[in-house]
Coordinates of all heavy atoms in Angstrom, one line a residue:
A1 N 3.4 -3.6 -2.3 CA 3.6 -4.8 -1.5 C 2.2 -5.2 -1.0 O 1.4 -4.3 -0.5 CB 4.5 -4.5 -0.3
L2 N 1.9 -6.5 -1.0 CA 0.6 -7.0 -0.6 C 0.8 -7.9 0.6 O 1.7 -8.8 0.6 CB -0.1 -7.7 -1.8 CG -0.2 -6.9 -3.1 CD1 -0.8 -7.8 -4.2 CD2 -1.0 -5.7 -2.9
R3 N -0.1 -7.8 1.5 CA -0.2 -8.7 2.7 C -1.6 -9.0 3.1 O -2.5 -8.2 2.8 CB 0.5 -8.0 3.9 CG 2.0 -7.7 3.7 CD 2.6 -7.0 4.9 NE 4.0 -6.7 4.7 CZ 4.5 -5.6 4.1 NH1 3.6 -4.7 3.6 NH2 5.7 -5.4 3.9
P4 N -1.9 -10.1 3.7 CA -3.2 -10.4 4.2 C -3.6 -9.3 5.3 O -2.7 -8.9 6.1 CB -3.1 -11.8 4.8 CG -1.9 -12.4 4.3 CD -0.9 -11.2 4.1
A5 N -4.8 -9.0 5.4 CA -5.3 -8.0 6.4 C -6.7 -8.5 6.8 O -7.7 -8.1 6.2 CB -5.3 -6.6 5.9
G6 N -6.8 -9.4 7.8 CA -8.1 -10.0 8.2 C -8.7 -10.7 7.0 O -8.1 -11.7 6.5
S7 N -9.9 -10.3 6.6 CA -10.5 -10.9 5.4 C -10.3 -10.2 4.1 O -11.0 -10.4 3.2 CB -12.0 -11.0 5.7 OG -12.6 -9.7 5.9
G8 N -9.2 -9.4 4.1 CA -8.9 -8.6 2.9 C -7.5 -8.6 2.6 O -6.7 -9.4 3.0
V9 N -7.1 -7.6 1.7 CA -5.7 -7.5 1.2 C -5.3 -6.1 1.5 O -5.9 -5.1 1.2 CB -5.7 -7.7 -0.3 CG1 -4.2 -7.6 -0.8 CG2 -6.2 -9.1 -0.7
R10 N -4.1 -6.0 2.2 CA -3.6 -4.7 2.5 C -2.5 -4.3 1.4 O -1.7 -5.1 1.1 CB -2.9 -4.7 3.8 CG -2.3 -3.3 4.2 CD -1.8 -3.3 5.6 NE -1.2 -2.0 6.0 CZ -1.8 -0.9 6.3 NH1 -3.1 -0.9 6.3 NH2 -1.2 0.2 6.6
V11 N -2.7 -3.1 0.9 CA -1.8 -2.7 -0.2 C -0.9 -1.5 0.3 O -1.4 -0.5 0.8 CB -2.6 -2.2 -1.4 CG1 -1.7 -1.8 -2.6 CG2 -3.6 -3.2 -1.9
E12 N 0.4 -1.6 0.1 CA 1.3 -0.6 0.5 C 2.1 -0.2 -0.8 O 2.7 -1.0 -1.4 CB 2.3 -1.0 1.6 CG 1.5 -1.3 2.9 CD 2.5 -1.7 4.0 OE1 3.7 -1.6 3.7 OE2 2.1 -2.0 5.1
V13 N 2.1 1.1 -1.0 CA 2.9 1.6 -2.2 C 4.4 1.6 -1.8 O 4.7 2.3 -0.8 CB 2.4 3.0 -2.6 CG1 3.3 3.5 -3.8 CG2 1.0 2.9 -3.0
V14 N 5.2 1.0 -2.6 CA 6.7 1.0 -2.3 C 7.5 1.7 -3.3 O 8.6 2.1 -3.1 CB 7.2 -0.5 -2.1 CG1 6.6 -1.1 -0.9 CG2 6.9 -1.3 -3.4
A15 N 6.9 2.0 -4.5 CA 7.5 2.8 -5.5 C 6.5 3.3 -6.5 O 5.5 2.6 -6.8 CB 8.6 2.0 -6.2
P16 N 6.6 4.5 -7.0 CA 7.6 5.5 -6.5 C 7.2 6.2 -5.3 O 6.0 6.2 -4.9 CB 7.6 6.5 -7.7 CG 6.2 6.5 -8.2 CD 5.8 5.0 -8.0
L17 N 8.1 6.8 -4.6 CA 7.8 7.5 -3.4 C 7.3 8.9 -3.7 O 7.6 9.4 -4.8 CB 9.1 7.6 -2.5 CG 9.7 6.3 -2.1 CD1 11.0 6.5 -1.3 CD2 8.7 5.5 -1.2
G18 N 6.6 9.5 -2.8 CA 6.2 10.9 -3.0 C 5.0 11.0 -4.0 O 5.1 11.6 -5.0
L19 N 3.9 10.3 -3.6 CA 2.8 10.3 -4.6 C 1.8 11.5 -4.3 O 0.7 11.5 -4.8 CB 2.0 9.0 -4.4 CG 2.7 7.8 -4.9 CD1 1.9 6.5 -4.6 CD2 3.0 7.9 -6.4
G20 N 2.2 12.5 -3.5 CA 1.3 13.6 -3.3 C 0.1 13.2 -2.5 O 0.3 12.7 -1.3
T21 N -1.1 13.4 -3.0 CA -2.3 13.1 -2.2 C -2.7 11.7 -2.3 O -3.7 11.3 -1.7 CB -3.4 14.0 -2.8 OG1 -3.6 13.7 -4.2 CG2 -3.1 15.5 -2.6
A22 N -2.0 10.9 -3.1 CA -2.4 9.4 -3.2 C -2.2 8.7 -1.9 O -1.2 9.0 -1.2 CB -1.6 8.8 -4.4
P23 N -3.1 7.8 -1.6 CA -2.9 7.1 -0.3 C -1.6 6.2 -0.3 O -1.3 5.6 -1.3 CB -4.1 6.2 -0.2 CG -4.6 6.0 -1.6 CD -4.2 7.3 -2.3
A24 N -0.9 6.2 0.8 CA 0.3 5.3 0.9 C -0.1 3.9 1.0 O 0.7 3.0 0.7 CB 1.1 5.7 2.1
S25 N -1.3 3.6 1.5 CA -1.8 2.2 1.6 C -3.3 2.2 1.6 O -3.9 3.2 1.9 CB -1.2 1.6 2.9 OG -1.8 2.2 4.0

C-alpha cells in the first residue's frame, strides 16, 4: 500500500504477512 509521506512515498507491506526480518514499511 502506497501513501504520500511529506516529500516522499510511504510503503507498507500488506501481503504476505510474516516477512521475518524484512521491514514492514
Side-chain angles (χ1 to χ4, degrees):
L2 308 177
R3 298 178 181 85
S7 59
V9 181
R10 180 173 179 79
V11 183
E12 295 183 4
V13 177
V14 294
L17 300 176
L19 290 175
T21 59
S25 67

